[in-house]
Amino acid sequence: LEVPRQGCMTSSVFLPLLAAGRTAQNTPVARMITAESETWSPAKWREIDRATRAEEEARQARARRGLPPLPMTPTHTVRCGSRDCRPGEGNLKHAMDKHGKFKQWEQPYEHREGFVQSRLRSPPHRPRPNVEYAGLVALAARLAPRGGPVLLAAADWDYRELALNWYLHARRLGYRGALVLSMERALHELLLRRGVPSFDGGALLAAWNRTCLQRHIQAVRMERHLAAAALVEAGHDVLLTDATAVFLKDFLPRLVGAPAELDVLLQRDDWPRTGLGKKKERTQPAQGRGVGGRRTPPPHRDVKERSVVVLAVAQPW
């Protein structure tokens, strides 16, 4: 059974079968039976049953305090009442930090551990340039012919002004291969009216609702990497950045001039502030604000698998 997800125009959630289980206190609980949960061990089921009981106790505690129930799922929308949502308003917010910024990972919805864990734990589709991403590849081919470099940023309705700013700075530097991966049709249509190359990725994003990634931002962050991978597979060099990036000077020569054996370049964020030689910092991954993927020739027929060489650089631009 599929029902519309609250606040999502093109999304749906799958309601799995329910079965009875019991907690350690012999209290009956409802169990969700899916292809994923059928692989769980008895220990895993006990863990989920305990979480389910704790969630029920939290609901009862809210009711005793006179608080309304939390939404069952995270929400994202482009309409706030009878008007378009203002930038930053369409994603349900929880609280602000001490600097007055919303905590984007904390949303006021009821986290159901059993439901999330029982969802699909692999991507809903592959980065196939001739299937799911054929439209994106065709757009990139028009903007950057002959496998030219593509600059890609993903955005949703909340980020519409940032996406426009990102594109205008890219074009100011003469980058003709810049385009926006729009995560909903409303943004896609708006950008086209403003003359910004855009690919409507709303349907591809909605497919992530079948997975364990329930928050909107989680799905967006995964989908943009699959889109970039499809472009690389199609033969383009790709620079994937946040829509908040502002390009002030020409940096492509530095990226193009990187050693040919490098496949992926990652820009570290503002850390680690010291070198990577510290033992503490060697265990931490690079935080990629900018990710560059290079097209590579097919492996030699005698080579079964081609290794991928990655370089993390402090400031590539």
Side-chain angles (χ1 to χ4, degrees), residues 257-268:
E261 62 269 20
L262 293 179
D263 298 304
V264 181
L265 295 92
L266 302 175
Q267 178 197 0
R268 289 197 301 267

Side-chain angles (χ1 to χ4, degrees), residues 17-314:
L17 298 175
L18 298 179
R22 291 182 178 272
T23 63
Q25 293 78 24
N26 206 33
T27 305
V29 295
R31 286 179 169 179
M32 295 186 177
I33 306 301
T34 66
E36 176 66 30
S37 66
E38 285 183 335
T39 67
W40 293 349
S41 66
K44 180 68 173 181
W45 273 116
R46 289 193 294 271
E47 172 191 334
I48 296 299
D49 289 343
R50 287 194 297 269
T52 302
R53 169 49 56 190
E55 292 158 8
E56 175 59 28
E57 293 173 352
R59 285 192 290 270
Q60 295 175 2
R62 286 185 62 87
R64 287 194 297 269
R65 298 199 303 271
L67 299 175
L70 290 172
M72 295 299 286
T73 59
T75 60
H76 169 76
T77 185
V78 300
R79 297 287 294 175
C80 293
S82 60
R83 59 173 176 79
D84 292 340
C85 294
R86 293 184 293 271
E89 190 181 12
N91 290 312
L92 193 62
K93 305 301 189 300
H94 180 255
M96 291 186 176
D97 61 21
K98 62 181 180 180
H99 303 294
K101 297 180 180 180
F102 284 115
K103 299 178 180 180
Q104 63 177 352
W105 291 104
E106 297 186 16
Q107 295 187 6
Y109 73 99
E110 186 172 293
H111 178 79
R112 294 165 292 161
E113 187 68 16
F115 175 79
V116 173
Q117 293 283 350
S118 66
R119 311 291 283 174
L120 183 68
R121 303 185 71 84
S122 58
H125 45 259
R126 295 166 53 195
R128 295 178 291 190
N130 297 323
V131 186
E132 294 88 352
Y133 296 92
L136 176 64
V137 170
L139 175 60
R142 291 196 300 270
L143 298 172
R146 297 182 298 278
V150 173
L151 277 66
L152 180 68
D156 62 19
W157 185 251
D158 276 356
Y159 281 71
R160 57 191 182 274
E161 299 299 336
L162 289 170
L164 177 62
N165 185 64
W166 175 89
Y167 175 74
L168 291 177
H169 277 82
R171 284 309 305 267
R172 184 181 181 183
L173 294 174
Y175 298 158
R176 303 186 61 84
L179 65 95
V180 176
L181 177 64
S182 297
M183 292 302 180
E184 54 221 344
R185 179 169 294 276
L187 174 64
H188 173 65
E189 294 175 347
L190 174 66
L191 292 178
L192 290 183
R193 290 196 299 270
R194 292 186 174 185
V196 179
S198 167
F199 174 73
D200 183 3
L204 294 171
L205 181 68
W208 288 90
N209 289 335
R210 303 194 302 270
T211 73
C212 59
L213 301 184
Q214 293 296 292
R215 290 187 286 266
H216 175 73
I217 192 173
Q218 291 177 311
V220 168
R221 289 188 167 188
M222 293 300 295
E223 179 56 35
R224 65 180 183 176
H225 283 91
L226 287 186
L231 289 172
V232 172
E233 182 69 18
H236 289 276
D237 289 336
V238 179
L239 176 65
L240 172 63
T241 80
D242 288 344
T244 54
V246 177
F247 307 132
L248 300 179
K249 60 183 179 180
D250 187 10
F251 54 82
L252 281 183
R254 184 172 182 181
L255 295 181
V256 174
E261 62 269 20
L262 293 179
D263 298 304
V264 181
L265 295 92
L266 302 175
Q267 178 197 0
R268 289 197 301 267
D269 207 336
D270 57 355
W271 62 269
R273 298 185 182 278
T274 57
L276 289 176
K278 302 276 186 176
K279 179 179 180 181
K280 174 182 176 182
E281 291 166 345
R282 284 203 304 267
T283 62
Q284 300 180 0
Q287 170 69 24
R289 281 296 179 89
V291 180
R294 310 181 78 171
R295 65 183 187 274
T296 56
H300 191 273
R301 67 183 61 185
D302 295 332
V303 179
K304 297 176 62 176
E305 184 176 355
R306 188 183 192 281
S307 60
V308 176
V309 181
V310 179
L311 173 66
V313 294

